[in-house]
Amino acid sequence: MWASLASHLAYHVTTVINSVCVCVCVCVCVCVCVCVCVCVCVYRKIELYEMGWSLRDGLKECLVAAAPYGGPIALLRQPQRPSSSARPQLEIYSSSGANMASFPWKSGPVRQLGWTVCDDLLCIQEDGTVLIYDLFGAFKRHFSMGNEVVQNQVLEAKVFHSPYGTGVAIVTGASRFTLATNIDDLKLRRLPEVPGLQGAPSCWVVLTQDRQTKVLLANGVDLYILDNTSCTPVVRQTQTTYSLLCLIILALSPLTVCVFQTPPGLSPQACSIVNMAVSFSYKYLALFTDSGHLWMGSANLKDKLSEVDTKVRTPPKQMVWCRRPKSQQPSVVIMWDRLLLVAGECTDTIQYTLDEESVCVAELDGVRIIGGSRHELLQEVPSACQDIFKIASMAPGALLLEAHKEYEKSSQKADEYLREIKEQSVLGEAVRQCVEAAGYEHEPETQKTLLRAASFGKCFLSNYPPEPFVSMCRDLKVLNSVREYTVGIPLTHTQYKQMTVQVLIDRLVYRKLYPLAIEICRYLKTPEYQGVSRVLKHWACCKVQQKEEPDESIAHAVSVKLGEAAGISYSEIAARAYECGRTELAIKLLEFEPRSGEQVPLLLKMKRSQLALSKAIESGDTDLVYTVVTYLKNEMNRGDFFMTLRNQPVALSLYRQFCKHQEQDTLKDLFNQDDDHQELGNFYVKASYKEKKLEARLSLLQSAVDEYNKAKNEFAAKATEEEMKLLRFQRRLDEEKGEALLGLSLQETLHALLTSNFHKQAEQLYRDFRVPDKRYWWLKLTALAEKDDWEEMEKFAKSKKSPIGYLPFVEVCVKQHNKYEAKKYVSKVTPEQKVKAHLAIGDLEGAAEAAIERRSEGEISTVLSRCSPTTDRALLERLNRARSTAAKK
Amino acid sequence: MSAHLSYGRVNLNILREAARKELREFLDKCGGSKAIVWDEYLTGPFGLIAQYSLLKEHEVEKMFTLKGGRLPAADVKNIIFFVRPRLELMDIIAENVISEDKMHSPRDFHMLFVPRRSMLCEQRLKEQGVLGSFINIDEYILDLIPYDGDLLSMEDMHIDTTHECYLESDQTSLYHTAKGLMTLQALYGTIPQIFGKGECARHVANMMLRMKREFAGSQTQILPVFDSLLLLDRNVDLLTPLATQLTYEGLIDEVYGITNGYVKLPPEKFSAQKKQGEAGKDLPTEPKKMQLNSAEELYAEIRDKNFNGVGAALSKKAKIISAAFEERHSAKTVGEIKQFVSQLPHMQAARSSLANHTSIAELIKDITTSEAFFDNLTVEQEFMTGVDTDKVNTYIEDCIAQKDPLIKILRLVCMQSVCNNGLKQKLLDYYKREILQTYGYEHMLTLNNLEKTGLLKPQTSTRNNYPTIRKTLKLWMEDANEQNPNDISYVYSGYAPLSIRLTQVLARPGWRSIEEVLKMLPGPHFEERQQLPAGLHKKRQQGENRTTLVFFLGGVTYAEIAALRFLSQMEDGGTEYIIATTKLINGTSWIKSLMDRPEAQS
């Protein structure tokens, strides 16, 4: 497959690269350009292609649908004589008439064909079923326009495009409209009933206005606007003023606030509207009446542009708008069996005779006319082209072109022309015109001539920006290569700019023109991510569907071709392979995916959960790991699940986290399985805090002790045992003495006991729990002070030598505002703490004495900082003296 | 409002603007009037991105705090939940939605996951049967929030890094860190050099490199703003956060706690500043809330000073301001007076800012001059200089006996353990027993946690390598100059934070000079290079400084930030630093996040 593509590629490489600025492409078509003028506008009809198809009866008896932007053409040929045996033939062609698909139609009768924005073919059947096929006639999917349709049948259908995508509108045998604005996000809307409508309306169109999709329909003389909620008649009042009939609209429905205007200035003799058309942008509306009048105006029916009497009373076969963005005048192309008529703002019209059955396709900037043998483009001649090519034009561009022609001939006239341009200082304008005009020309030779002239003119300009010229050369090169007969996308420059390169690449990809698409991406230097990689991905997705090739070779081919291309999503390709039932291939392809995160969902879908788990872990995305873990949990039995986790520590710790918050019991099982006794111990300890009943709490703690012992954590086991001992002690005391000790810490318990005069019990706890002397002394000291039990304190101080010294005694007394008691202990304080003790009781003299005695500079300073210069002057002097001597030392 | 973010070397406002844009886009996706239901944790960090006015512009009419039961009544079309992806929150939301559905009120529900959407949570919503009720489920990627012109924090939005990552080896936060760094690189260009130290740092770097591979091709072509990235695992430097910070901002955080750039202060000191008419009426009882960032000129000037230098700075500033006010007397001509008046608002702002900071400084001074503060600091400094770290410390003993706050005890014990490279089993058990007996046995689990993280540990080898580290890295500087610092050690009045020394040495002369010490510190150290797309190599001007992003995994203190700012400002430093972290911490909040039942500890 790739080999054939490669040869294809080689061909295109030469096409795209062989010239410096403009592609010398051998154009198969012969351009026949006839310019005709109507009012101030000039129109031209260019032949795009000579159709490559061979249709026996032209387009007769065919349902035809051609997509805009040079899209494909679908034909459904009805058998000559409807018999049960003969089936209609569905054929798909490129714009140049190259066959892309052809197969007998086996489903129900088709009412309408249409193309989506993604180049998919919609076949709307009589029973309301819409079948979707791709460009190559492969069935993709189908949907229905509602149950009601099955009975009543579709009378008429239209496919329309809006910013929301491709939509379908139908009218049923019961004269009801149903709309789907976007077939990819199908939401059917049944529009309200139209009063008095029997069967199909005489004509109707779908409009998109103010983000709303509406139907405008004519039933004989009446015009209606149908939206989601209401049907608003566009009422005509026959009130004559001066020469025109003034029509006023009344919005009858109470639900709608907006008032529509009737087509202003529609002539009185107009009775029945037989055809209507909206412009490509939904801005303009054209109405054709049975009196042969054509009314043109804005689609909101507020303004009239013009009215033309075509003098043809037969209802037209087709009517389309023909205008370009920024055009001087809009016009409408009306087609009858043998006649094509262009009507503009003034009463003149242009007429063309048609020699074969044709179909008109509205484009952004013109109308394509597809006939049995030819494919033409009818458009208003852009002003740049007019200026340059008009006979005897003196426009700057025309002069420049002339100058260049003379220059080529080595004639000195070149200089004259140039001089003339320069004198008017319009050389810049001339270059701009030539560049612009080149964009509008289809013939590569003409493009080249214009661009050469522009390039020539540029030489005489010092600061002309190169971008417009360069990008035009690039655009034309791309355009010429896609207009090429074998590709068959007759895009104009205006359309190309509107559609963007991205979409063009997509279209090429839909046509499986991968090499050309890649070549264009490379040529335009589109970032790999959006360009080449995307094309390659599509190619690979297509490749994996080739059933006959073995997995190995496909995987190999894909990896070789895609290689290190940036931003390739292998998982998407793998997903496609999986959809085609090639699981093994999908797994092989996933191996190439650099983003492990991307692999996971598909692996889960394919039930490769173990692999999914390791990929999830690799990605580092914990949410992904959680997802797989939850999946595994539901899928596996508990034992296997735990075993799997055991081999994946990251997943295990995450799962533990999850259990900690959500499933405590599972957490225990996990620890048990791992023989993690330390964590089990912790688990029991934690559980014990949640337990209200003491017995249960104790038994949980006992379990914790056992586990800690198993974990050889002596300290924890012992501490927990102590805790149990304390709890039991507290309970006993609470029961015996009515204290409320339960839950207090050992320290708090002791404190409570000491303050409540349970000295004996306190002593017992002190011994049993081997409370360090120091802490016990502190505790007792504070407890006694808080009770103001100074006598007991004094006894306590004398009971034996204090392990915490006597400064705490001083401080605790001071804290309880008892300086008197505090003084008793000052003398007992060690010399180092003397100063502090004196200061604590506010005895500056004493402090000073002690500090001077110790000859400590720091301490003297401390005392000094407490002295006030007014009251303690003598002391200050002494201290200062002492400090200086201490410092000298 | 956010101008101060753009003054620094790197314009962090770009990041904020990107976040705001995304928020606006999401809000516009839900057309019509809206009510936001907030996960309370998010309101603080969100305040740094967008004020209420922005929300209001996008038709947000009501805001509620997420809680169980029914939603408060609100006449709006859309209800939007702003939540972290947590299962327990999903249950509450389900409850809200179900009760709302029962009322048959025609409302559109939307969900915005911050910082990332989670399949696990969506699964939970599905189980609860409410997933279908949501029209939009989206994610708001808010990893690194700009806190100041040179400071980014993730503020542990997703998960408590210290607790989950170091205790439960849950690497979620590391994944988010890596993602955040990728976002940063998308805005500021690929960082060519990555250095790191520690297990977590290695892990983050690996994930970053992997992600870069994964997104190859979609890179933005931006000239790199950062020259290098340094990933530092908090595990490498457990000591620094334990020490009491001595910079102005550090002390405000130590004493009052700064959350999301705001501090709540006791109101008494500030009452006098009210206008005279109101002053007499009543003393304010609500704490005074103040925003602290470099938008305030004076604060930017003094925040990173050692507290002992703040007084002088304040009085200098006072003189300048009063001199400026005096100028009005010399203003004679109309032009001069006009000029004076035009400066008046700025001067008045400066004056009120000065008054505020004088009050704060007074509040803090009351604490720093207290004996308890002094004793505590003395012990800390003894440990840091290696005095008697292997013996029972009497001060700790006394504090336990007097039942000082547990966190204070834990900070000190941990510090002793860290400075001694672990405590002898006997000593460790003694401390533990003292703590359990005094504060209750339930703290056994907390102690267990501290042991798991290595903050407390039994000494395994006989050799204590802390002194070597201290000497090689010059962690203790005897003559720290607090007024006019010449070394980073001023932020702790002597102790130079290890993490910052590592950063400093990396810039000059490079880590190769301290290989030995690096080996002693836990975890691997590494250097990685990221290929830059051709044409994006920076050409450095002569004398142009390098810009380094220092990312602290597991938290950073204000004192460390101050030290880095000091290095940035050094004239011959040659490197400017931008700081990023998972969370702004101090010793207290850090230990708290490691406690088993912090709520039990009042």
Side-chain angles (χ1 to χ4, degrees), chain B residues 209-342:
Chain B
L209 296 173
R210 162 189 289 283
M211 287 174 189
K212 187 171 180 236
R213 262 204 315 282
E214 291 183 357
F215 293 107
S218 59
Q219 295 164 333
T220 39
Q221 300 280 314
I222 298 174
L223 201 68
V225 173
F226 297 105
D227 297 291
S228 56
L229 163 70
L230 170 59
L231 291 161
L232 277 179
D233 189 340
R234 191 73 270 174
N235 234 356
V236 175
D237 173 17
L238 294 169
L239 174 57
T240 307
L242 293 170
T244 306
Q245 310 171 63
L246 294 175
T247 58
Y248 182 54
E249 189 168 39
L251 273 167
I252 296 178
D253 188 36
E254 292 278 345
V255 179
Y256 298 106
I258 300 175
T259 40
N260 295 314
Y262 284 91
V263 66
K264 283 182 179 165
L265 297 161
E268 298 81 24
K269 285 266 182 188
F270 298 93
S271 57
Q273 290 163 24
K274 281 201 169 181
K275 287 197 185 104
Q276 291 207 321
E278 300 164 44
K281 269 190 234 157
D282 50 353
L283 282 168
T285 45
E286 286 277 298
K288 183 178 168 73
K289 203 173 168 190
M290 268 182 69
Q291 192 171 20
L292 300 174
N293 59 40
S294 58
E296 195 182 346
E297 197 185 314
L298 173 65
Y299 187 64
E301 212 173 291
I302 59 171
R303 67 198 298 182
D304 299 322
K305 284 192 184 305
N306 184 296
F307 188 67
N308 283 336
V310 168
L314 284 175
S315 74
K316 199 174 110 200
K317 189 78 183 176
K319 273 181 205 138
I320 293 171
I321 289 176
S322 57
F325 272 99
E326 280 311 307
E327 265 176 36
R328 67 170 179 255
H329 298 300
S330 61
K332 292 285 187 314
T333 68
V334 177
E336 281 169 355
I337 291 170
K338 199 173 164 197
Q339 201 196 349
F340 177 80
V341 171
S342 71

Side-chain angles (χ1 to χ4, degrees), chain A residues 334-495:
Chain A
I334 313 169
M335 188 178 73
W336 286 272
D337 271 338
R338 292 275 167 225
L339 179 70
L340 195 72
L341 187 134
V342 184
E345 214 161 77
C346 53
T347 45
D348 283 342
T349 55
I350 310 167
Q351 300 196 357
Y352 296 94
T353 10
L354 290 174
D355 45 13
E356 56 185 348
E357 186 92 12
S358 300
V359 174
C360 293
V361 185
E363 288 283 2
L364 176 68
D365 54 351
V367 175
R368 279 190 295 133
I369 302 157
I370 303 167
S373 58
R374 268 195 308 281
H375 190 164
E376 293 168 314
L377 173 69
L378 174 68
Q379 65 170 177
E380 180 194 325
V381 180
S383 57
C385 299
Q386 268 188 55
D387 284 345
I388 292 178
F389 294 116
K390 207 157 55 183
I391 295 165
S393 168
M394 292 298 277
L399 291 175
L400 179 60
L401 188 64
E402 207 54 39
H404 181 247
K405 265 185 201 157
E406 294 301 330
Y407 171 74
E408 295 269 273
K409 282 191 264 174
S410 314
S411 152
Q412 84 281 7
K413 273 189 190 159
D415 184 52
E416 281 168 34
Y417 281 118
L418 258 182
R419 216 177 279 272
E420 195 176 332
I421 305 172
K422 281 178 121 178
E423 266 162 23
Q424 298 172 47
S425 34
V426 284
L427 188 52
E429 173 64 14
V431 173
R432 196 197 56 73
Q433 268 184 358
C434 285
V435 171
E436 197 191 332
Y440 294 126
E441 290 303 322
H442 267 246
E443 184 63 46
E445 276 311 319
T446 322
Q447 296 167 358
K448 271 161 80 174
T449 314
L450 286 165
L451 286 172
R452 284 198 184 114
S455 164
F456 173 68
K458 252 158 52 80
C459 299
F460 301 95
L461 285 168
S462 53
N463 53 355
Y464 190 80
E467 292 85 17
F469 179 80
V470 173
S471 69
M472 182 57 80
C473 289
R474 276 206 194 113
D475 290 349
L476 284 176
K477 200 161 174 175
V478 171
L479 280 176
N480 287 338
S481 64
V482 299
R483 284 173 191 164
E484 220 259 317
Y485 189 76
T486 46
V487 181
I489 304 180
L491 273 184
T492 65
H493 188 256
T494 319
Q495 289 165 15

Side-chain angles (χ1 to χ4, degrees), chain A residues 595-596 620 622-624 657 660 662 678-679 682 689 722 745-748 769 772 774-775, chain B residues 118-119 124 164 168 172 175 210 214 371 397 401-403 433-434 437-438 441-442 448 452 596:
Chain A
R595 284 169 289 182
S596 2
T622 43
D623 187 53
L624 212 52
Q657 276 291 91
K660 200 169 256 178
Q662 305 285 335
Q678 173 67 31
E679 282 300 336
N682 291 349
Y689 296 127
E722 268 190 17
S745 74
L746 178 64
Q747 181 95 339
E748 287 157 346
F769 284 85
K774 273 183 169 177
R775 185 145 57 80
Chain B
S118 133
M119 292 195 243
R124 173 60 67 101
E164 308 297 332
E168 317 283 359
T172 307
Y175 175 73
R210 162 189 289 283
E214 291 183 357
E371 205 166 312
E397 258 185 323
Q402 292 170 74
K403 215 171 173 229
R433 218 165 141 259
E434 288 288 284
Q437 288 195 351
T438 309
Y441 289 97
E442 66 264 32
N448 194 323
K452 267 193 208 166
D596 189 64

Side-chain angles (χ1 to χ4, degrees), chain A residues 141-277:
Chain A
R141 64 187 176 97
H142 72 91
F143 64 89
S144 165
M145 290 301 287
N147 292 330
E148 178 235 12
V149 192
V150 182
Q151 280 178 4
N152 294 320
Q153 307 243 300
V154 178
L155 288 183
E156 284 178 19
K158 283 190 201 304
V159 175
F160 59 94
H161 304 284
S162 72
Y164 310 107
T166 303
V168 173
I170 55 160
V171 55
T172 66
S175 301
R176 291 295 293 269
F177 285 87
T178 303
L179 271 185
T181 339
N182 180 5
I183 55 156
D184 291 323
D185 176 21
L186 195 68
K187 275 176 196 143
L188 292 178
R189 283 187 305 152
R190 203 165 170 235
L191 301 183
E193 210 167 337
V194 182
L197 181 63
Q198 296 282 323
S202 27
C203 56
W204 57 288
V205 286
V206 184
L207 287 172
T208 301
Q209 278 177 344
D210 314 326
R211 296 200 226 160
Q212 229 195 345
T213 310
K214 297 170 190 163
V215 170
L216 180 68
L217 68 118
N219 185 23
V221 280
D222 303 316
L223 260 181
Y224 296 94
I225 290 170
L226 263 178
D227 61 20
N228 280 353
T229 48
S230 65
C231 170
T232 317
V234 182
V235 174
R236 299 186 191 179
Q237 280 190 354
T238 43
Q239 186 185 26
T240 24
T241 55
Y242 192 42
S243 70
L244 288 171
L245 191 71
C246 209
L247 304 162
I248 299 163
I249 301 291
L250 288 176
L252 292 188
S253 158
L255 283 169
T256 43
V257 193
C258 56
V259 174
F260 286 98
Q261 312 248 310
T262 27
L266 192 59
S267 303
Q269 57 269 59
C271 355
S272 183
I273 297 164
V274 291
N275 206 334
M276 53 171 82

Side-chain angles (χ1 to χ4, degrees), chain A residues 96 100 114 126 160 177 193 223 280 292 345 415 507 540 766 770 782 789 805:
Chain A
S96 57
M100 297 169 89
E126 226 168 58
F160 59 94
F177 285 87
E193 210 167 337
L223 260 181
F280 205 76
E345 214 161 77
D415 184 52
R507 300 253 156 131
Y766 153 67
R770 294 188 293 116
T782 13
D789 197 346

